[in-house]
Amino acid sequence: MWNVLLSFSGLVALIQLIFLPFFPESPPYLLLQKEDKAGCLKAMKQLWGEGNYQTELDDLMKEKAVTKGTKIMNVLEVLREGSVHPQLCTMLLLLLSLQLCGLKIFETANLQESIIPYVSLGVSISELISIIFCSSIIDRFGRRALLCGGYLLMALILVLLETSLLLSGSKCPAGDRFLWLRYCSVILIFLFIIAYGLGP
């Protein structure tokens, strides 16, 4: 039944797609991008009910004044902008390495094929935990602390992961005694995903 479980996210996306046209546009988008003050006020009333939203409108107008000279770029314009190329390359390398490293780790850990679906489920649950946890603590600690702490945790976890893979590998003379470390490797992967979600 894994195919049913994996298709569940597609069902949720389909439901969102069906109901999305019935929701109003975002009030900040209507005011800041489309410059539609009446539409913004109407959207606020649709989303939050009847009331006086002058304070929110004033805040949005201040934000509009601050960002007046700033040009909103689409994806292609961002890709053409030379000043952001180092950041884009860093993000791309990080995302690619995260996508590719899991395959090698699971292969190196010599996990039984029967538990691989549970490992995949565990990875998804780890991502969910990191999203919930990060969104609840980011206001308290700030981005800088979470970034530094996240990178430090990731480095520590990678050292432990490499150690567990070396000790449980087939090339290690004492590898048979440390077979339980294969499961520690999986737990460390989950922790790595949580640390990545908290920081970077």
Side-chain angles (χ1 to χ4, degrees):
M1 300 293 285
W2 284 101
N3 54 345
V4 176
L5 183 63
L6 290 173
S7 64
F8 183 72
S9 57
L11 177 66
V12 173
L14 182 65
I15 291 169
Q16 289 176 342
L17 194 62
I18 291 168
F19 286 102
L20 194 61
F22 300 103
F23 287 94
E25 291 280 6
S26 162
Y29 170 76
L30 288 169
L31 187 66
L32 301 176
Q33 306 298 320
K34 290 195 165 183
E35 299 183 358
D36 182 5
K37 190 173 180 180
C40 174
L41 193 57
K42 182 182 174 188
M44 284 179 176
K45 289 180 179 177
Q46 273 184 280
L47 290 168
W48 304 323
E50 290 296 325
N52 185 5
Y53 298 109
Q54 191 58 46
T55 307
E56 287 81 1
L57 274 173
D58 291 342
D59 289 342
L60 287 172
M61 292 302 283
K62 286 177 192 171
E63 187 179 336
K64 183 179 178 185
V66 169
T67 60
K68 190 172 185 180
T70 308
K71 182 179 182 274
I72 305 297
M73 294 191 287
N74 62 31
V75 176
L76 288 174
E77 289 172 332
V78 170
L79 291 174
R80 288 189 199 121
E81 180 65 40
S83 63
V84 298
H85 283 170
Q87 294 91 328
L88 286 172
C89 289
T90 304
M91 286 176 53
L92 186 62
L93 284 171
L94 185 60
L95 290 171
L96 284 174
S97 64
L98 281 173
Q99 293 299 318
L100 298 174
C101 72
L103 299 172
K104 184 65 180 167
I105 289 169
F106 292 143
E107 183 184 303
T108 307
N110 292 324
L111 295 173
Q112 295 173 356
E113 201 169 319
S114 60
I115 71 160
I116 298 272
Y118 299 103
V119 172
S120 299
L121 184 62
V123 167
S124 300
I125 291 170
S126 299
E127 290 174 351
L128 181 65
I129 289 169
S130 69
I131 290 167
I132 293 168
F133 194 53
C134 181
S135 61
S136 63
I137 65 170
I138 193 166
D139 289 333
R140 181 182 297 172
F141 295 104
R143 289 191 175 134
R144 183 181 300 244
L146 289 180
L147 273 172
C148 294
Y151 279 123
L152 283 172
L153 270 174
M154 286 167 62
L156 175 65
I157 290 167
L158 286 176
V159 168
L160 293 171
L161 183 59
E162 182 65 22
T163 305
S164 70
L165 290 173
L166 286 172
L167 289 175
S168 65
S170 57
K171 293 179 182 177
C172 178
D176 293 338
R177 286 189 295 158
F178 296 111
L179 289 176
W180 55 272
L181 280 174
R182 294 176 181 176
Y183 300 100
C184 287
S185 302
V186 173
I187 292 167
L188 287 168
I189 291 168
F190 295 162
L191 291 175
F192 181 85
I193 292 167
I194 292 170
Y196 174 76
L198 287 177

